[in-house]
Amino acid sequence: MAVTAADHDTKPDTKFLAEIAEVFRRHPEAARKYGLASFTLERKMGVDYTHKYGVSWIEGDRIITEFRPRETIPPEVRMRICVKYELHGQDLECVHWEEALE
């Protein structure tokens, strides 16, 4: 299944996206490190980040993402790199991360 811009329904967000583009223009160093991600595919899959979290890893030329129940988060401390945040009020919460290399 191919996903197009029409699937993401960005028209209502035109003003917001223009403002984000302006922030990236003002901060080119950040523009090379960050991008704006949509939760459209996760919403279509029914991923509820209050009950699940995403973990990604690389296999060859593919990025594999798996959504796991929050109650299975291992208690040990590991190095993780946050790759997707969700805004809750004034706070950003990491909802999807990649395991760092050991």
Side-chain angles (χ1 to χ4, degrees):
M1 173 179 105
V3 178
T4 66
D7 295 324
H8 293 281
D9 193 23
T10 57
K11 284 191 180 200
D13 302 326
T14 302
K15 184 177 178 189
F16 168 75
L17 294 171
E19 290 180 22
I20 294 296
E22 179 57 32
V23 169
F24 281 141
R25 273 193 288 281
R26 286 195 323 262
H27 302 278
E29 69 288 349
R32 288 188 294 275
K33 293 175 17 181
Y34 299 98
L36 185 63
S38 167
F39 289 109
T40 301
L41 295 175
E42 290 89 338
R43 301 240 190 278
K44 282 183 180 181
M45 290 176 57
V47 174
D48 179 355
Y49 283 114
T50 61
H51 296 101
K52 293 184 177 184
Y53 65 98
V55 176
S56 296
W57 61 93
I58 297 169
E59 287 185 6
D61 61 351
R62 299 181 308 152
I63 299 172
I64 309 297
T65 301
E66 187 175 90
F67 297 96
R68 301 175 183 169
R70 286 200 176 270
E71 60 270 9
T72 64
I73 296 175
E76 72 269 7
V77 175
R78 289 186 159 163
M79 178 65 175
R80 294 184 177 130
I81 301 166
C82 190
V83 295
K84 198 174 272 190
Y85 294 89
E86 192 167 51
L87 186 63
H88 294 275
Q90 296 295 315
D91 300 321
L92 286 174
E93 178 182 331
C94 185
V95 295
H96 186 148
W97 56 76
E98 175 183 317
E99 295 288 337
L101 298 174
E102 295 186 30

